[in-house]
Amino acid sequence: MPLVWLPDWSCSLDGLRDFIAAGIQSFRDCDGGALLAVGCLLLLFVWYCYHVGREQPRAYPAVNALMQGAEANGVQNGFVYCHAPECARCSPHDGLNQKLYHNLQEYAKRYSWSGMGRIHKGIREQGRYLNSRPSIQKPEVFFLPDLPTAPYFSRDAQKHDVEVLERNFQTILCEFESLYKAFSNCSLPQGWKMNSTPSGEWFTFYLVNQGMCVPRNCRRCPRTYRLLGSLRTCIGNNVFGNACISVLSPGTVIAEHYGPTNIRIRCHLGLKTPSNCELVVGGEPQCWAEGRCLLFDDSFLHTAFHEGPPEEGPRVVFMVDLWHPNVAAAERQALDFIFAPGR
């Protein structure tokens, strides 16, 4: 190395030595107790991050019991359970929270843990949340903590989708009327399902059933099915998403029951609304109106009834599940992955 560079190296070393000396002196000038406290806090933070990332969810037997139905005759909370193996709410699931945690870990490996704190907290403490909820609100499969709760939501909660549905009221009504002509026969028409009720008859015609499209039914209601694609908050990719036409015959009472989760709000678009028909959610009664949407949280205890005269015909609504407005976009993506049909 030419000697002309030696003065520059000497200056650089002197500067580095002065910098190190200043750092050591600053450390000596600090209060020892404060430094110890900062060190302890740093160690606690590192331990907490490791613990949260590695901790398995707590096993609560009551979570599985909720999924199975408490009575041998299949009645729980006054509601008849179907016990179908494909039903997310009614079918038995052993080790549910461990399965959900595994799905969350798989999602985080593929994408990110960012924004997953509330879901991780919910899965880890799921049994405690479900068991400690007040009787007015008890989602039966999954509870996401820290969501604002109310039996009913204003139309502004999902304003865009409400306006789209109401603008297309006549389209949906026309397709329903075409379907309903098949009820002139005594047997249950193809595509319709009869649900258990204490009295009367409750029929549903699903376009999307627990996140799965029903192709044959969608072909019979093509415009209504296409309409679902224009909704911004429709739940269409996980087991908590449904879209169907719901029909209550005069004299029908739906037993009080809870929905499976609080991550959604259920939207009813009134198609035919005779007198003496009511929806009661969390003890608060509301009436449907033709061409208008009614939004509610079905994780609250709720019931519906049609006490109108037979000559007024059935109560008919188009039902679609929308995301709760306070579930963030990252959480929606993760929940679609965790609760994907068949997962």
Side-chain angles (χ1 to χ4, degrees):
M1 179 181 292
L3 294 179
V4 70
W5 293 102
L6 291 177
D8 291 337
W9 275 102
S10 177
C11 292
S12 299
L13 292 172
D14 289 342
L16 179 61
R17 184 172 58 252
D18 292 342
F19 177 78
I20 294 172
I24 293 173
Q25 186 60 42
S26 298
F27 183 82
R28 288 173 176 172
D29 291 342
C30 287
D31 179 69
L35 288 173
L36 180 62
V38 171
C40 289
L41 288 174
L42 182 60
L43 287 174
L44 283 173
F45 177 73
V46 172
W47 173 86
Y48 174 78
C49 292
Y50 174 80
H51 177 73
V52 168
R54 298 284 295 178
E55 185 183 24
Q56 293 292 323
R58 299 177 186 176
Y60 289 88
V63 176
N64 301 328
L66 282 172
M67 299 294 295
Q68 294 171 8
E71 305 295 337
N73 61 5
V75 178
Q76 180 181 335
N77 299 325
F79 188 77
V80 178
Y81 277 53
C82 66
H83 294 294
E86 71 277 5
C87 181
R89 186 173 68 89
C90 306
S91 61
H93 287 269
D94 294 326
L96 175 64
N97 40 347
Q98 280 80 12
K99 178 181 177 182
L100 297 183
Y101 190 79
H102 171 78
N103 290 347
L104 175 61
Q105 285 186 316
E106 187 178 343
Y107 173 85
K109 287 176 183 177
R110 294 190 188 185
Y111 303 101
S112 171
W113 278 103
S114 177
M116 297 299 104
R118 186 159 56 175
I119 296 177
H120 184 270
K121 177 183 176 183
I123 293 174
R124 193 156 43 95
E125 301 289 342
Q126 196 61 204
R128 181 172 66 84
Y129 287 131
L130 295 181
N131 291 327
S132 64
R133 297 298 305 165
S135 60
I136 195 173
Q137 185 194 28
K138 279 185 176 292
E140 297 190 320
V141 177
F142 179 72
F143 178 79
L144 186 64
D146 306 325
L147 282 182
T149 61
Y152 294 96
F153 284 76
S154 72
R155 295 159 47 81
D156 290 339
Q158 296 297 4
K159 185 176 180 181
H160 173 270
D161 290 353
V162 165
E163 291 176 347
V164 169
L165 289 167
E166 291 181 350
R167 281 198 307 268
N168 289 274
F169 160 68
Q170 285 295 338
T171 296
I172 301 171
L173 177 62
C174 287
E175 292 196 329
F176 158 72
E177 289 176 336
S178 176
L179 287 173
Y180 201 64
K181 290 176 182 177
F183 272 88
S184 57
N185 299 325
C186 295
S187 60
L188 187 67
Q190 190 175 46
W192 288 89
K193 295 177 65 176
M194 179 178 287
N195 303 280
S196 300
T197 56
S199 62
E201 295 177 327
W202 174 24
F203 304 100
T204 47
F205 187 86
Y206 279 91
L207 304 182
V208 178
N209 187 7
Q210 296 191 4
M212 298 287 287
C213 169
V214 184
R216 179 176 294 177
N217 289 0
C218 292
R219 286 193 292 268
R220 297 174 66 185
C221 296
R223 290 179 294 174
T224 302
Y225 177 65
R226 283 197 297 269
L227 181 64
L228 295 176
S230 64
L231 303 180
R232 294 175 180 172
T233 62
C234 176
I235 301 179
N237 298 316
N238 74 53
V239 296
F240 299 131
N242 303 275
C244 72
I245 296 170
S246 174
V247 178
L248 291 187
S249 300
T252 300
V253 175
I254 298 177
E256 289 185 323
H257 61 286
Y258 303 96
T261 184
N262 66 328
I263 67 172
R264 71 187 187 190
I265 56 176
R266 181 151 279 186
C267 176
H268 280 184
L269 172 66
L271 300 181
K272 290 184 177 292
T273 57
S275 60
N276 295 317
C277 294
E278 276 190 350
L279 172 69
V280 182
V281 183
E284 299 180 22
Q286 291 278 355
C287 294
W288 297 277
E290 292 183 4
R292 301 282 289 180
C293 287
L294 183 61
L295 306 179
F296 65 99
D297 183 343
D298 74 325
S299 67
F300 281 78
L301 187 66
H302 63 285
T303 181
F305 57 85
H306 180 357
E307 295 180 342
E311 57 269 18
E312 290 192 11
R315 182 240 59 177
V316 185
V317 299
F318 179 62
M319 184 196 82
V320 59
D321 290 322
L322 308 175
W323 283 105
H324 188 294
N326 292 91
V327 177
E331 292 175 318
R332 295 178 187 181
Q333 181 179 339
L335 289 167
D336 276 345
F337 182 90
I338 294 168
F339 291 101
R343 177 169 289 279

